[in-house]
């Protein structure tokens, strides 16, 4: 299959009226924030986007993203492959009131002055959000075992006197 580069800016309303479907790639080198969060990545992100009007007449675009990145395991400090698959569904809005009126199934995306959406930035945000908060190998694949993660001995906690023991003694004296 030939790799077709997708546009970085799109007009969702016009694309929805045309019922446009985009299937292609976006270069990861154009996604500086994503590249700053990973060790390395595939050269391309495979993207499928469909623009349409839903049953309520709202403009909607949804699709998928697929790529693979290399992350640094926080347990053993070794690199590992992490495939990313993201599903998204957006509806363009003009302001906060439009965003609040949307059904919960759609995420709002603010359009610019000319009715355009920065598709590159939106897709980069989706990929960054899909990264694990703490990147770790699977335990069986990690070089560090649970025995290696324990350091030293924990001393037993010293028993401290109960501050209310005096009240207990007073109550016993009253009986």
């Amino acid at each position: 299959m030939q790799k077709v580069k997708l546009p970085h800016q799109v007009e969702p309303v016009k694309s929805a009226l045309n019922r446009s479907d985009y299937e292609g790639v976006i270069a990861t080198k154009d996604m500086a924030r994503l590249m700053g969060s990973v060790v390395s990545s595939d050269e391309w992100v495979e993207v499928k986007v469909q623009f349409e009007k839903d049953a309520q007449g709202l403009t909607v675009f949804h699709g998928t993203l697929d790529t693979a990145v290399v992350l640094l395991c926080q347990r053993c400090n070794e690199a590992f492959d992490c495939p990313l698959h993201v599903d998204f569904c957006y509806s363009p809005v003009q302001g906060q009131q439009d965003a609040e009126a949307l059904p919960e199934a759609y995420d709002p995306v603010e359009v610019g002055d000319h009715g355009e959406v920065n598709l590159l930035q939106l897709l980069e945000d989706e990929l960054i959000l899909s990264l694990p908060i703490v990147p770790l190998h699977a335990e069986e694949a990690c070089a560090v075992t649970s025995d290696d993660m324990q350091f030293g001995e924990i001393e037993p906690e010293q028993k401290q006197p109960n501050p209310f023991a005096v009240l207990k003694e007073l109550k016993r004296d009253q009986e």
Side-chain angles (χ1 to χ4, degrees), residues 5 9 20 33 42 45 47 54 58 76-78 83-84 92 95 100 119 142:
K5 289 187 179 179
Q9 298 277 338
S20 299
R33 293 177 298 135
D42 285 353
V45 177
V47 182
D54 71 353
L58 294 171
C76 68
N77 214 23
E78 295 289 326
L84 298 179
E100 291 172 359
L119 192 61
C142 197

Side-chain angles (χ1 to χ4, degrees), residues 67-123:
T67 192
V69 296
V70 176
L71 300 172
L72 201 59
C73 178
Q74 297 298 300
R75 196 174 16 224
C76 68
N77 214 23
E78 295 289 326
F80 70 98
D81 294 329
C82 179
L84 298 179
H85 175 80
V86 179
D87 293 315
F88 60 89
C89 186
Y90 285 100
S91 183
V93 295
Q94 291 278 328
Q96 185 66 29
Q97 289 179 337
D98 289 350
E100 291 172 359
L102 279 180
E104 286 188 27
Y106 305 141
D107 289 325
V109 61
E110 187 113 13
V111 294
D113 295 336
H114 302 291
E116 291 185 337
V117 170
N118 187 336
L119 192 61
L120 174 69
Q121 184 178 353
L122 191 66
L123 300 180

Side-chain angles (χ1 to χ4, degrees), residues 5-6 8 25-35 43-44 120-121 124:
K5 289 187 179 179
L6 295 180
H8 290 193
V25 294
I26 291 183
T28 54
K29 66 178 181 177
D30 295 336
M31 299 181 174
R33 293 177 298 135
L34 176 67
M35 296 308 294
E43 186 177 356
W44 304 101
L120 174 69
Q121 184 178 353
E124 182 180 16

Side-chain angles (χ1 to χ4, degrees), residues 7 18 27 43 64 80 89 128 136 162 170:
N18 296 334
E43 186 177 356
T64 60
F80 70 98
C89 186
I128 290 171
L136 297 172
N162 185 350
L170 290 175

